[in-house]
Structures are given as C-alpha cells and as structure tokens.
Amino acid sequence: MLVNLTYEVFGKVQGVFFRKFTKDKAIELQIVGWVKNTEYGSVTGIAQGAKEKINVFKKWIQYEGSPHSRIDTAKFKEEEIEILEFTKFEVRH
C-alpha cells in the first residue's frame, strides 16, 4: 500500500540541518517527496512511499530529527494513493 504523508514540524527545526537530515532519511527509506522551511519557523513537506517506510519516517520526524534540532510537535495528514507523484526526494526553497 502506498501512502501520501503531509507533515509540518514545529520547534527548533531551522538552522540545524533538519531539511538535509530529512532528505537523507527519506533516501535511506526509499521515500519520495520534498521538504522545505516555512516563513514562520517550521518545516513542512510531503513524503510518499510504502506504508511501513512512511511509518518509520513519521516516527523519525516526530521524535528524532537532526542532531541539534528540538521537536516540539509534529502534525501529519496521511492518505492512501495509487501511484507516486514524485520520482525523488528534494529540499525545496
């Protein structure tokens, strides 16, 4: 089963390489999508892939993150999809 996960992470998540580590984790898990900073200090994005891998990614985003980040809260919206919309995982600006 393929899943589309929309996420937003709040806390100390900018200026701590959160996007780079998120991309690395996504590539490790063979997930596609994107991540970017928002203008109000959070990080947001979309991740798509197999449900089991998305669950691992979700846990990582919510509890681990980059080494110097501090995650206060994370919001998720998940839905089943038929096909992947993206071909890779990228950092957007």
Side-chain angles (χ1 to χ4, degrees), residues 35-47:
V35 61
K36 73 174 187 174
N37 285 340
T38 68
E39 68 236 18
Y40 47 90
S42 65
V43 170
T44 189
I46 293 176

Side-chain angles (χ1 to χ4, degrees), residues 23-73:
K23 179 182 177 181
D24 292 347
K25 190 64 174 179
I27 289 169
E28 175 192 320
L29 293 169
Q30 299 172 317
I31 290 170
V32 296
W34 55 269
V35 61
K36 73 174 187 174
N37 285 340
T38 68
E39 68 236 18
Y40 47 90
S42 65
V43 170
T44 189
I46 293 176
Q48 296 180 339
K51 181 153 182 62
E52 317 79 64
K53 292 183 179 194
I54 291 293
N55 287 342
V56 172
F57 182 76
K58 213 168 146 178
K59 231 179 231 164
W60 183 89
I61 283 257
Q62 193 168 13
Y63 299 112
E64 195 171 334
S66 65
H68 297 290
S69 65
R70 185 196 73 244
I71 300 157
D72 293 338
T73 188

Side-chain angles (χ1 to χ4, degrees), residues 8-26:
E8 188 165 6
V9 187
F10 302 87
K12 183 182 174 191
V13 292
Q14 289 190 9
V16 291
F17 296 99
F18 196 90
R19 293 173 301 159
K20 180 212 177 297
F21 279 87
T22 300
K23 179 182 177 181
D24 292 347
K25 190 64 174 179

